[in-house]
């Protein structure tokens, strides 16, 4: 239960990282345009998936195969989680 909650908090953080920080994934570069903020979501999503893969491997001992439904749901969840950052950066200005 705690692992799932920590993963959701990580996912929330990674989804909003491109909106809150002016750097690419909070590390380097400079984001100036709106499309660049949306472009940060893609590598952040994949980083989050890789972390989830290794956490599942560590906790469960094996990784269960996932279909396209899993990935479509997690992409939608990632976009919903990024909404507070979008509101903060775009709609409040």
């Amino acid at each position: 239960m705690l692992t799932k909650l920590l993963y959701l908090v990580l996912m929330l953080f990674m989804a909003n990282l491109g909106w809150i920080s002016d750097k690419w994934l909070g590390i380097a570069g400079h984001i100036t345009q709106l499309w660049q903020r949306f472009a940060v979501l893609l590598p952040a999503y994949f980083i989050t998936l890789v972390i989830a893969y290794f956490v599942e491997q560590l906790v469960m001992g094996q990784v269960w195969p996932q279909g396209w439904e899993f990935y479509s749901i997690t992409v939608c969840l990632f976009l919903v989680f990024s909404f507070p950052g979008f509101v903060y950066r775009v709609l409040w200005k």
Side-chain angles (χ1 to χ4, degrees):
M1 177 69 177
L2 182 63
T3 307
K4 294 174 189 175
L5 183 63
L6 286 175
Y7 180 71
L8 287 176
V9 169
L10 172 73
M11 195 171 185
L12 182 67
F13 173 75
M14 291 296 287
N16 287 298
L17 190 60
W19 299 105
I20 294 172
S21 176
D22 285 335
K23 297 182 178 189
W24 279 84
L25 295 175
I27 300 171
H30 190 67
I31 299 175
T32 57
Q33 297 180 354
L34 184 63
W35 70 268
Q36 291 173 329
R37 296 200 186 275
F38 280 111
V40 169
L41 290 176
L42 189 64
Y45 172 71
F46 285 118
I47 290 170
T48 307
L49 279 182
V50 168
I51 291 170
Y53 177 85
F54 287 119
V55 167
E56 186 176 4
Q57 178 78 28
L58 181 70
V59 172
M60 300 291 291
Q62 64 182 358
V63 178
W64 297 97
Q66 305 294 338
W68 65 269
E69 297 93 349
F70 171 78
Y71 296 106
S72 64
I73 289 171
T74 56
V75 164
C76 292
L77 186 63
F78 201 77
L79 290 175
V80 168
F81 278 177
S82 73
F83 186 70
F86 176 79
V87 168
Y88 170 75
R89 178 63 70 170
V90 177
L91 298 180
W92 273 1
K93 286 193 172 195

